[in-house]
Amino acid sequence: MKRYVGFSEYFHDAAIAIVNEDGTIPWASQAERYSGKKNDALIPPEMWKFVNKDDHVTFYEDRDMRREKMGGYRTHGAWAMHGFSSDKVESHTPMHNALMYDDFNEHHESHCAGAFFTRPWKSKEDTVMVSVDGSGELESMVIKDHNFKTVKRITWPQSLGCIYGLIVRSTGMTPLRDEYIIMGLACYGQVDDYLYKLLHNCYYWNETEEAKKIKQIVDFEGTCYAESGLSDKYSQYSDRIRDYVKNHTNPENAAATVQKFFEVEVIKIMKEARKYGSKLVYSGGCAQNVVANTLIRPLFDEMHIAIAPSDAGNSLGCAAYTWHKQTGGTHLDWSPYLGHNIDREINPKEVAKYLTENKVCGVANGKAEFGPRALGNRSLIADVRYDVKDTVNDIKRRHRFRPFAPAILSEYADQYFEGPMNQYMQFTSIAKHDYKSVTHKDGTARVQLVEPDCQSVIRQILEEYYELTGVPMLLNTSLNIRNKPMVNTIEDANEWETKYKVKVF
């Protein structure tokens, strides 16, 4: 059977995904799970062992376009983690086992494909694709119709991803990693009107006549955007924003302000997208903003978000797009459980009983999840009847204000929550209960619906826990420590249990 391999590498969240000719996905994983380096930009040698020499291999973006438009290869993450510079790109590709990639997609094309070919509905003519992130080769946002034709785009440095990342950096955190913290912190602050104005002016300067003239010159002369007046102006605004955040406001207000700005602007994008389709598929790093996703949801009849919206998911997207072009396939046969398999016995009844007696335990069983969410196979779970949020945050070495998600038997969800919910923790709902460990300060929760056909053992654990307690939900978070990847192998699980003194089943 012919296989289609996609990979993303060199910037952040490197990954490989494999799509079979029949549309099944035998394996997909991020580099960090094997290297142990959070958001690793390079794929370690052991991952290339999953790739065969006769596989059709696709890269996730157009590297030459990136070099021409932005002044160089995308090697920032590789340099920061591995000392890997631009002049080594060609020697690193072909891959470690002398494979050459024989196709590539554009960056946002890969994002869109990862969402489009995993959509849960059959129709495509009514489907519109949106990708929003920091930047691809040049674009920071694209709207594509069902034929992958770009109907709208926004180009760097006008970028919601970059604006959000700027606030992350300005508050002393790490962009491309700590955006979750800013999103969680936002409900503790108030919108700072002056900072909001600075963000607005930074973002919209790119639509001024001055910016348009610079773009015309850059495009006419064939020079790159990153070395033009566009970059200079963005740097000036960035300096003013960083200075203001550092000296005139606090992290809570900065978080509330950028979150509000992001919500307002992404809704404008989605209202434009709605003109091209009643059903939305959405990807890009910004699609991980669950608060904004909740505001977007009412605009469309259906909405599907890629399970791995970041650049890691582009490995699956570019493989899927090549598969589509070669076979004519329109839907992948997929689940989120695509990674390393820990094949060992687990007794759900024993786990549930342990939870009622000890409050917290880990689960490392079955295939690891692809994407940022632990959905039951690499999870740290807890008894929601107790206020264990501080305990679990302390175990994970996280800020105590950060919220946790509830995993709930889907048939009981409406009794406990109101609002959009799905199996992948991609929206927020209003809590209709008093379980504080899975409710954020603003009264919301990022719910994981656990359906009867869920492929994770967490379904059986929940059923047993419900039998014991009458409560159909558990706290569910990833089995990791802050700034470290999730547990991947049985060796990782055993080491985690020993080091952090938490039982792992």
Side-chain angles (χ1 to χ4, degrees), residues 151-372:
V151 294
K152 294 286 181 179
R153 70 174 189 155
I154 295 174
T155 58
W156 185 90
Q158 185 174 12
S159 165
L160 288 179
C162 287
I163 287 284
Y164 213 97
L166 177 58
I167 296 299
V168 173
R169 188 183 301 277
S170 299
T171 53
M173 299 180 194
T174 304
L176 302 176
R177 189 183 69 194
D178 291 338
E179 281 77 1
Y180 291 123
I181 298 176
I182 292 297
M183 185 174 61
L185 189 61
C187 69
Y188 290 86
Q190 301 294 322
V191 173
D192 182 313
D193 291 337
Y194 185 76
L195 178 58
Y196 192 100
K197 183 178 179 180
L198 285 177
L199 297 177
H200 183 276
N201 291 346
C202 178
Y203 187 73
Y204 278 104
W205 178 83
N206 298 279
E207 296 182 11
T208 63
E209 290 303 315
E210 180 184 359
K212 290 177 182 177
K213 288 179 181 178
I214 294 173
K215 290 178 183 179
Q216 287 175 352
I217 293 170
V218 169
D219 290 338
F220 178 76
E221 294 181 349
T223 53
C224 77
Y225 278 57
E227 296 174 359
S228 70
L230 295 169
S231 182
D232 294 339
K233 195 70 174 183
Y234 179 72
S235 295
Q236 292 171 20
Y237 273 115
S238 299
D239 291 343
R240 290 176 63 190
I241 290 166
R242 280 194 292 265
D243 177 73
Y244 186 81
V245 171
K246 182 178 179 180
N247 297 305
H248 302 288
T249 190
N250 58 47
E252 293 84 357
N253 289 349
T257 304
V258 74
Q259 179 63 30
K260 181 64 176 179
F261 181 79
F262 179 86
E263 291 168 8
V264 169
E265 297 304 324
V266 83
I267 287 296
K268 291 178 184 177
I269 291 169
M270 294 304 176
K271 286 182 176 178
E272 181 66 21
R274 184 62 176 79
K275 299 174 184 177
Y276 300 93
S278 61
K279 298 177 181 177
L280 171 68
V281 295
Y282 183 29
S283 191
C286 292
Q288 296 175 106
N289 193 307
V290 297
V291 179
N293 292 349
T294 305
L295 300 176
I296 294 166
R297 180 63 188 88
L299 298 177
F300 296 89
D301 297 343
E302 301 275 0
M303 179 175 173
H304 172 64
I305 304 166
I307 55 163
S310 74
D311 284 6
N314 276 358
S315 62
L316 178 59
C318 67
Y321 198 36
T322 299
W323 163 80
H324 160 72
K325 289 185 289 186
Q326 293 285 324
T327 69
T330 59
H331 281 85
L332 294 174
D333 181 3
W334 68 283
S335 86
Y337 307 103
L338 300 172
H340 178 81
N341 188 30
I342 297 179
D343 185 12
R344 61 171 173 172
E345 290 292 327
I346 184 169
N347 185 332
K349 188 183 293 291
E350 180 185 352
V351 178
K353 185 174 185 296
Y354 184 91
L355 276 174
T356 62
E357 296 172 352
N358 298 276
K359 299 181 183 177
V360 182
C361 73
V363 175
N365 190 269
K367 288 189 173 183
E369 299 88 342
F370 184 57

